[in-house]
Amino acid sequence: MISGYIESTLFSGAVADDNTAVYEVFREHFDQLVRAMGTSPTALIPVLYSKQLISEDVKDDLSTLTGVSNNDKAIRLLSAVEKTMKAEPRAARVVRELCEAVNDQPALRHVADRITTALGE
């Protein structure tokens, strides 16, 4: 019950209670997240792994991936987060963790703020 309380206080709007709406908010901001990751999407790999937003396999694959643009790495990284979100019974938990994970990245903070606003924080 506590996790439900925390989630409802972070995303107080009705959007956070609807997984489909949470997916849509994430999707609407996907391109902004990719652009904001800029030249260093790999810097987020350990952060997202620590927050359990990507699997060990994804972490290992993306950490050793060569010959792929940073844009493609960012897309693969966020696609892995999206898969985690769709597997989670409460998609808002994953989005909350993602927003917290990128909050230390100035280029991503504004996108995280837009996401939380869209979810009714």
Side-chain angles (χ1 to χ4, degrees), residues 10-11 33 37 41 43-54 77-78 81 93-109 112-113 115-116:
L10 179 63
F11 301 137
L33 288 166
M37 284 184 182
L44 284 174
I45 294 170
V47 176
L48 298 179
Y49 178 71
S50 293
K51 296 252 182 205
Q52 299 178 10
L53 299 178
I54 60 172
L77 186 59
L78 289 171
V81 171
R93 182 206 69 85
V94 175
V95 175
R96 181 184 69 238
E97 292 289 334
L98 175 65
C99 290
E100 288 175 8
V102 302
N103 205 32
D104 292 339
Q105 307 281 327
L108 290 164
R109 187 177 306 129
D113 289 345
I115 291 170
T116 55

Side-chain angles (χ1 to χ4, degrees), residues 21-35:
V22 173
Y23 302 146
E24 288 302 314
V25 169
F26 177 79
R27 187 174 180 172
E28 288 170 8
H29 293 85
F30 193 93
D31 65 324
Q32 296 171 38
L33 288 166
V34 168
R35 280 194 311 270

Side-chain angles (χ1 to χ4, degrees), residues 46-72:
V47 176
L48 298 179
Y49 178 71
S50 293
K51 296 252 182 205
Q52 299 178 10
L53 299 178
I54 60 172
S55 69
E56 183 176 5
D57 289 338
V58 169
K59 172 188 66 82
D60 293 343
D61 290 345
L62 289 176
S63 296
T64 59
L65 192 61
T66 59
V68 176
S69 71
N70 284 326
N71 189 60
D72 286 342

